[in-house]
Structures are given as C-alpha cells and as structure tokens.
Amino acid sequence: MQKINTIQVSFNISSMISEEEKLIALLSENGFDSFWQDDNILHAFINEHTLKNINLNSFLQNNFGKTAPEYTFSETEDKNWNEEWEKNYSPAIVDEKIYIHAPFHNKNHTY
C-alpha cells in the first residue's frame, strides 16, 4: 500500500482582512481537512493526491484577486495528530464533584 503524505500549505493572510473565514470555507470545499492559525499565517492540511488536482494559484486568484494570499508548502510528519492532541489534554474538575479525564490520566483523583 502506497503511503499518502499530508501537505501543509501555509497562507500569509495579512492582506486578507476579514476574509479568513471565506478562505477556510473555500479550502474545505476543495479537500483541505484541518486548519490552525498562528498570527497572520493560516496553516491548512491536505493529502498530496488531492492537492495535485488543484491549481492553487488560479483558485486563489479567481476567489480573491489582488488580495490572494502568498503561500508555502511543506510535507508534514506522518503521525496521528489527534493522539498527539490527546497527550496534552488536561483533566478538568467541575465544582469539585466531577473529574473529567482521558483514559490515560490517573483515575484515583482526590479533591
């Protein structure tokens, strides 16, 4: 079975005041499946095979014209990102009565 790589496309959205949501919606409709923003950079993720079917320059020009963001590509590490997020999940205590935790947290919590 051939490995399918995930590509991170980082968009500089500083020229797109108040159009970030439109960009995310359009990218979602075209195969991008997750996003995170770091200041003026929107990081969007897509598998390499889906990306090959998109002419990103034309797509951005057609939808944003002169305000189309510049972007860079990078290949991401092949790992379960949800599992990585879960590792950093902290348990929560509600009204000192309910202890919400992941299976890997200490179950014998005292208040």
Side-chain angles (χ1 to χ4, degrees):
M1 186 166 131
Q2 183 180 3
K3 177 181 163 188
I4 298 175
N5 294 318
T6 298
I7 305 298
Q8 175 179 317
V9 184
S10 299
F11 297 90
N12 182 340
I13 57 173
S14 59
S15 67
M16 302 183 66
I17 299 171
S18 74
E19 291 193 292
E20 303 93 28
E21 282 127 22
K22 177 182 174 183
L23 176 61
I24 291 170
L26 290 169
L27 293 172
S28 294
E29 291 173 1
N30 285 277
F32 286 82
D33 57 18
S34 56
F35 306 89
W36 67 277
Q37 189 171 338
D38 182 25
D39 293 324
N40 289 324
I41 305 295
L42 174 67
H43 305 277
F45 299 85
I46 188 169
N47 81 52
E48 65 182 336
H49 296 301
T50 304
L51 182 60
K52 288 179 183 178
N53 296 321
I54 301 171
N55 181 328
L56 204 48
N57 286 329
S58 294
F59 168 80
L60 292 170
Q61 286 301 313
N62 289 339
N63 288 287
F64 298 99
K66 292 180 181 180
T67 62
E70 294 180 358
Y71 58 90
T72 58
F73 294 103
S74 58
E75 204 169 297
T76 62
E77 187 177 350
D78 187 27
K79 65 167 58 174
N80 181 338
W81 291 104
N82 190 53
E83 182 180 327
E84 290 300 308
W85 174 82
E86 287 175 352
K87 287 179 185 176
N88 295 306
Y89 165 77
S90 298
I93 301 171
V94 180
D95 291 334
E96 296 187 16
K97 297 177 184 174
I98 301 171
Y99 180 59
I100 303 169
H101 63 90
F104 51 83
H105 288 125
N106 180 0
K107 295 177 184 174
N108 299 321
H109 179 77
T110 56
Y111 301 99

